[in-house]
Structures are given as C-alpha cells and as structure tokens.
Amino acid sequence: MPTFDFDTVPERRGTDSQKWQKYAGRDILPLWVADMDFRSPPAVIEALHRRVDQGIFGYARPVKSTVEAIVAAMEARYGWRIEPSWLVWLPGLVCGLNVAIEAFSQPGDEIISFTPVYPPFITAPRYRGRTSRTVPLRLQPGSPGRWEMDWDALERAVTPRTKVVILCHPHNPIARIWEPGEVARLREFCAAHSLILCSDEIHCDLILDPSRRHIPTATVGSAGRVVTMMAPSKTYNLPGLGTSLAIFSDATLRVQFERAAAGIVAEVTPLGYAACEAAYTEGEPWRLAQLATQRGNRDFHQEIIAREMPGIRVDAPIEATYLAWLNVEALGLREPAAHFEAHGVGLSDGAMFGAAPGAAVRLNFGCPRATLAEALRRMKAGLPAKG
Ligand SMILES: Cc1ncc(COP(=O)(O)O)c(C=O)c1O
C-alpha cells in the first residue's frame, strides 16, 4: 500500500478554515465540525492543479467520465447499479435536505428524524416552515451498548401530516451502521405510511471495520420511495468544494426535487467536479490508508478515555465516521462543550444534536495523532474535580 502522511500537523490557523477560525487568537484545539486536519488524496490535489492550469472557470456540467466515476463507484462499492439519469448534483447535502423537504412536503407538515442526530436534520424542517418530529434512539445498555430504533415511538410520532423521514446511514453522531433488517423495516414502515425516506449516506465510505460493507438504503428491499444523498466530501476531506449528489431511481421524485431546487440551488463548480471524479476513481489507496489511521485514532482515544477520564463514557462502538459521541452526563456540567472550550478543546455540544443538555459532546478524531493526544491531555486536565 502506498504511504500517505497523516501525521504532519497542517497549519490551518489564519486560513479560511471555519473549523480553525472559530477559535482564532485563542489556544483552543478545534475538534468540532466534521472536517479533517488531513490533506486530501494526492490524486485529488493533482487533478485540481490540472484543472486550475486550464485557467478558465466557466459554468460547469459534469463530463461523461465524472458521471461514469459515480456510476462505477456505486456498483463496485455496494453492488448498486444506478443510471446516469438518476443523479442530481448539489453544492451540499444540507442544501439537499432542505430541497427534499421543500419538494416532498408542504408548510406545516412534519418531518421525522432520529436523535441524537446531525443538527440540520432538526433545523432544516424548521427553516422550511415544517415541524421537526424527533424520535430518540434507544441505547441498549451493555458492554458494549447499542443504539437502536424505537419502533413504538416511531409509530406514535407519525401523524397525517408526516411526509418525510430522514435517516442518517451510517448515523452521525452515534457512529452506527444500520443493519439491512433495520433499514428494510424502516422502508416498510415508510411505505405503509406513504412517507418518503431520505437517506443521507455521506459517511458511507468511512466504515472502520474492514470486514463490514455499506449497504445503501435504496438497495435493501423495494418498499416505498427512497432518495439517497451521497458525497465525496467527508471521505476525501473536500467539504469546502461543495460537490454532492442526490440519487433517485424514481423519476417522479427526481422531477419534484429538481423543480424545488430550480433557481435557488447553485451549480457545482468546475473544481468540485474535478475533485469528485479524481476522488472516486483514484482515491481508494488514500481512503484505505486513512481508515487505518482513523481506526488507530479511535482505539487510541477510547483507551485513554476509558482508563484516564472518569465521568466520560463511550456507550457504544464507533463503527463508522471519525466522530465520537461521548457521554459526559456523570460530569454534571450544564454546558459541557463550553467547559472543555475553557480548557482548550473545542467540541460540539450534544444539545445541538437533540440530546439533553449536559448529556454529551461530540469529538472529531479526524486529525493527526499529535493533535488528538494534546486535546485529550487538555480534556483530562479539565475534568471537574468530582468527576
Ligand atoms: C449526516 C451529514 N449530512 C450532511 C453533512 C454536510 O453536508 P454538506 O457539507 O454537503 O452540506 C454532514 C456534515 O457533517 C453530515 O454529517
């Protein structure tokens, strides 16, 4: 396997990085937003150089090879045979979630998601004048524990105004890969209630266990109507290039979606297409090496937390993503993220994900080991005395 550098700490202070700008001028290590402190795959950087060297940046459309890269990746990775006509390009998946809600529901309708969850799943319905109905996931206790769907609560949450269910697969922030049986059951549930299932699979190429595979929601059974959201952005660290996809096997849904997007949603940029194609066609060795690094980072921080940080618990295995959901309830802090910020580490507060205040923080371990080690050292030093 070629070697890649996941150890050098890049200097992102003083750059356009949102992650680092948040704490500009303060000695706080940012482990919040889901972007990684790793350079993108060399093949992607080279493709971008080639595209920049052409020097013309007119309005772009994907060329045939870019579309073929997506079609081939879906088949090679997940055995999912898609048609080029199923693809709708988007400048971001948060944008895609908002458009889906606009397309498939009316103001006042209700949208379901499973908490804790990536905050835009909760806010997008509200931004669109819909009601966000959250169904808490249930933590099955044990060693390790397991997050599960609460099917009874889901049944109770549905009303005649419910139109869309948004699934995060794998699920940010609890890092679970949904089993085919669970996905099939959700599809059947949505079909029975005439709900559109919007499956956000942005983290699907970040499965940490090499023996497991991502199984797209759209390929599990045939019940109901499914929209799939995918992007190279999390996997190859390209979120700033705004290149994402909605995939529709159902042409009626696709047309509805495109109508809702028309005139509002910006086009993907030439650099975004170039990076996307290179990522899917040439990024595999880098992706595999990155996953090995993430596994190492996961095991490293889990061990330190278990051994040296009383009051912090990881309730269930981190199966995918580079995001850890830390249970900090026992620390008794009202605002745990603010507390750790005051001790030099910028985490995401669990309350934003729909968790109870004080219950959890999310830690982004997609960074060089030295950054992670220093952040853990600071967190340990900042533990409240009673913890
Ligand atoms: C589940 C999920 N969906 C969407 C996004 C963001 O997508 P985008 O940057 O394409 O809007 C994220 C970012 O962390 C995410 O975790």
Side-chain angles (χ1 to χ4, degrees):
M1 193 191 279
T3 53
F4 301 99
D5 179 7
F6 296 103
D7 297 323
T8 303
V9 178
E11 184 51 273
R12 298 185 76 187
R13 292 184 183 87
T15 73
D16 55 20
S17 162
Q18 283 187 21
K19 186 182 185 184
W20 285 81
Q21 273 187 14
K22 179 169 181 189
Y23 300 117
R26 299 158 72 192
D27 181 20
I28 299 176
L29 290 173
L31 304 191
W32 61 289
V33 65
D35 101 17
M36 302 187 272
D37 290 335
F38 297 136
R39 282 166 64 84
S40 291
V44 170
I45 297 172
E46 284 156 24
L48 286 168
H49 277 300
R50 286 196 297 276
R51 184 60 191 85
V52 167
D53 285 344
Q54 197 232 5
I56 304 176
F57 306 103
Y59 297 117
R61 289 236 171 97
V63 294
K64 199 160 167 261
S65 55
T66 308
V67 174
E68 283 169 357
I70 303 298
V71 172
M74 295 303 134
E75 176 147 23
R77 293 175 189 201
Y78 327 118
W80 187 21
R81 302 184 85 151
I82 64 165
E83 299 289 333
S85 63
W86 296 5
L87 305 180
V88 177
W89 293 86
L90 293 163
L93 285 196
V94 172
C95 166
L97 292 175
N98 278 268
V99 173
I101 290 165
E102 201 63 43
F104 306 131
S105 66
Q106 298 296 318
D109 282 344
E110 297 174 5
I111 316 293
I112 288 181
S113 61
F114 303 95
T115 50
V117 77
Y118 178 58
F121 282 39
I122 305 170
T123 52
R126 296 181 189 152
Y127 290 157
R128 308 267 66 79
R130 278 67 167 169
T131 299
S132 172
R133 286 256 173 265
T134 55
V135 177
L137 295 168
R138 246 188 348 211
L139 179 68
Q140 293 293 51
S143 230
R146 182 178 160 93
W147 290 95
E148 289 187 348
M149 298 268 176
D150 184 340
W151 298 102
D152 294 336
L154 177 59
E155 193 72 58
R156 287 195 301 274
V158 174
T159 76
R161 296 222 64 169
T162 312
K163 295 291 170 354
V164 179
V165 171
I166 322 178
L167 177 70
C168 197
H169 176 43
H171 193 106
N172 169 12
I174 50 107
R176 241 213 86 181
I177 302 165
W178 299 110
E179 300 289 345
E182 295 169 303
V183 175
R185 185 167 174 185
L186 185 62
R187 282 192 66 159
E188 275 152 27
F189 176 88
C190 290
H193 293 275
S194 302
L195 310 175
I196 290 166
L197 179 56
C198 183
S199 185
D200 180 335
E201 303 183 14
I202 197 169
H203 295 282
C204 69
D205 290 325
L206 292 166
I207 290 185
L208 297 176
D209 179 348
S211 71
R212 295 189 69 184
R213 278 185 79 199
H214 175 66
I215 301 175
T217 298
T219 65
V220 181
S222 58
R225 294 180 297 168
V226 174
V227 181
T228 306
M229 305 272 180
M230 291 233 183
S233 51
K234 296 292 141 186
T235 314
Y236 303 98
N237 210 24
L238 308 169
L241 288 178
T243 307
S244 318
L245 287 153
I247 309 178
F248 298 87
S249 61
D250 180 322
T252 310
L253 283 192
R254 193 194 72 235
V255 169
Q256 266 178 282
F257 184 91
E258 285 174 329
R259 277 205 197 111
I264 299 175
V265 175
E267 305 201 7
V268 169
T269 66
L271 296 183
Y273 286 127
C276 178
E277 179 176 334
Y280 280 116
T281 53
E282 299 173 74
E284 190 61 358
W286 184 92
R287 185 182 76 91
L288 296 176
Q290 187 227 141
L291 289 180
T293 300
Q294 303 289 19
R295 275 193 292 279
N297 277 0
R298 174 194 61 187
D299 298 346
F300 174 73
H301 85 266
Q302 301 273 294
E303 236 176 81
I304 292 188
I305 287 174
R307 202 178 53 228
E308 301 178 24
M309 299 198 198
I312 305 188
R313 265 199 352 250
V314 182
D315 290 315
I318 299 176
E319 300 176 335
T321 80
Y322 46 84
L323 306 164
W325 184 246
L326 308 182
N327 179 332
V328 294
E329 229 164 19
L331 298 180
L333 301 165
R334 267 172 50 90
E335 292 185 11
H339 173 87
F340 287 109
E341 234 172 65
H343 289 87
V345 185
L347 305 170
S348 304
D349 203 291
M352 290 171 54
F353 297 74
V361 288
R362 192 191 71 174
L363 177 150
N364 171 350
F365 58 87
C367 58
R369 182 68 63 86
T371 308
L372 186 58
E374 173 58 15
L376 293 168
R377 191 194 63 73
R378 293 179 184 194
M379 284 174 69
K380 184 179 166 194
L383 286 180
K386 76 171 183 140

